[in-house]
Amino acid sequence: MQHPLSLHNTLTRRKEPFVPLHSPFVGVYLCGPTVYSEAHVGNARGPVVFDVLTRYLRNLGYTVRYVRNITDVGHLEGDADEGEDKISKRARAQQVEPMQVAQEYANRYRRHMDALGCLPPDIEPLATGHIIEQIQLIEEILANGFAYEANGSVYFDVPKYNNSGNNYGKLSGRVPEELLSGSRENLAGQDEKRSPLDFALWKRADERHLMRWPSPWGEGFPGWHLECSAMSRKYLGQVSDIHGGGLDLMFPHHECEIAQSQASHSHTDEARVWLHNNMITVNGQKMSKSFGNFITISELFAGKHALLSGPYSPMVVRFFLLQAHYRSTVDISDEGLQAARKGYRKLMNGLRQIERLTLPEGTERATDTEKADTELRKLVADCYVGLNDDLNTARCIASLFNLLRKFNGFYNQPATLGQVGEAALGEATQAFRTLVQDILGLRDEPRANAEELLGLTLQFYQEAKAAKDYAKVDVIRAALKEQGILVKDTKAGVDWAYEE
């Protein structure tokens, strides 16, 4: 199966034609959240990008297995090998079990991803559910001589790995010697490490650590980088097709993943294509919990943040994230979100309009529509050019607006529909639906308030009754009854109840 899709591979630093290892099967892995607090809008970009990627791959005819993990242990403060586990710290502060913290925020994350239109992953593995696999991976790395045990902890030996013909830093472009010279001062308090570049595969649990498991090296917990290597291998094989996440994961997380995978089996990379989405910024600065400049997804939906003038619906947020190419930074602002709302509503109006494109009665279709058909088909093809060019959703959306302008012309002047062939028009309207709904994942959101509409309807009912317009009274009663609502005339006035 061959398709003109190309993706930018961080590992090779160039766009490459996408060729799966075992077509038509495609394995995709996205590094998911550490569930110690609520996700912010920056955390949503990767899932939205990978959702469009998997949707488009399936549209092309591939059978995709999409894995997105949940980190519920091992992610220490500062993304380092020392300090307290982020989930344990939150649990200690709230005086609850760590798994309560992880469950609460994992549930919130799933609800938010569903609201944003992200299809659930085929597999959503938890780090705590794969301790056996992680211990096995460590044992393989130890057996191959690329790790060492120290006081109940196990560390990956980066210098030995590099001196064995491997290249720690090939994903991120970091030079080990420069990393070494800049990190010697950080070795203080980490006497167990042979080199400042070494990273933890397994950490001995001290008295502070609430989550611990038995291992050949004593009670402890896995290092943060280990889980994705172990789970990707279990569900997608030794080498997957696509592995990725946010740009901030490129180093050290993904760099360490590659080293672990190469050190454990046959020196093969963990994935063929490494795909990274860029950051969300606020006034030019990366959105981050550590910087304190973040907007949570709940705050965005509710409009409860100093930067926001009001709430923004999930589909508006999704459109906002997709109107820029995934490798570009996106600066979030109230003005940008308002513009996204207008753009999203234009596409939704377009979906409504194309259902009403009908050749007026008595208007004959032209006998030669070849030129108009070619023009319409080119507008459709342009939409796919953007997607095939490194999943450029920004270009795809711009092309969709060009196609929509053509539809608007037909809608405003229905007689012009006679200039285009019925088959070409059908292809174009179906492509518009597919691109907007099935690939970009944008769905129409009901914006009307049901209670307000019901109140307004009952007001019309009262006015019709007062005017003794009983025909209208009966129409309103019948229409509401079709919706399972009964109108009740009481001494106190008009009320309603569900039909039982």
Side-chain angles (χ1 to χ4, degrees), residues 102-297:
Q103 190 69 55
E104 175 188 352
Y105 290 111
N107 289 343
R108 287 196 199 184
Y109 178 78
R110 294 182 184 111
R111 288 196 298 270
H112 286 151
M113 294 306 104
D114 179 65
L116 287 166
C118 295
L119 300 174
D122 299 301
I123 302 173
E124 190 177 52
L126 304 179
T128 55
H130 296 77
I131 300 297
I132 293 173
E133 289 83 358
Q134 294 178 76
I135 289 175
Q136 180 185 348
L137 190 60
I138 296 171
E139 290 176 327
E140 292 174 12
I141 296 172
L142 280 166
N144 289 338
F146 293 111
Y148 56 91
E149 188 269 340
N151 299 324
S153 296
V154 181
Y155 294 97
F156 189 93
D157 193 332
V158 172
K160 185 172 183 181
Y161 168 79
N162 243 25
N163 292 334
S164 300
N166 300 297
N167 182 5
Y168 182 79
K170 68 177 183 177
L171 180 68
S172 61
R174 309 283 182 106
V175 179
E177 290 74 15
E178 294 177 1
L179 290 170
L180 189 63
S181 63
S183 60
R184 292 191 187 280
E185 66 276 9
N186 296 328
L187 194 57
Q190 300 184 46
D191 298 336
E192 296 174 343
K193 289 186 178 183
R194 296 175 183 173
S195 165
L197 298 180
D198 297 348
F199 57 88
L201 299 174
W202 186 266
K203 285 291 290 181
R204 176 178 56 85
D206 60 25
E207 66 282 354
R208 295 177 302 165
H209 210 88
L210 299 176
M211 292 186 283
R212 57 183 69 207
W213 290 264
S215 79
W217 317 284
E219 283 198 343
F221 56 93
W224 172 41
H225 310 306
L226 193 66
E227 61 179 275
C228 291
S229 292
M231 295 188 292
S232 177
R233 182 169 76 170
K234 178 169 183 175
Y235 297 113
L236 299 177
Q238 288 191 347
V239 183
S240 63
D241 290 296
I242 302 170
H243 194 115
L247 193 61
D248 55 339
L249 294 180
M250 180 173 62
F251 186 89
H253 187 55
H254 288 160
E255 197 76 72
C256 294
E257 282 191 55
I258 289 177
Q260 290 164 164
S261 297
Q262 288 189 326
S264 63
H265 55 74
S266 306
H267 301 283
T268 56
D269 289 328
E270 187 172 330
R272 293 275 298 277
V273 176
W274 288 83
L275 191 148
H276 293 94
N277 60 274
N278 216 321
M279 301 293 102
I280 300 289
T281 59
V282 180
N283 295 323
Q285 184 183 46
K286 172 193 167 185
M287 181 180 288
S288 170
K289 291 175 182 176
S290 60
F291 294 154
N293 65 345
F294 61 93
I295 303 173
T296 68
I297 298 173

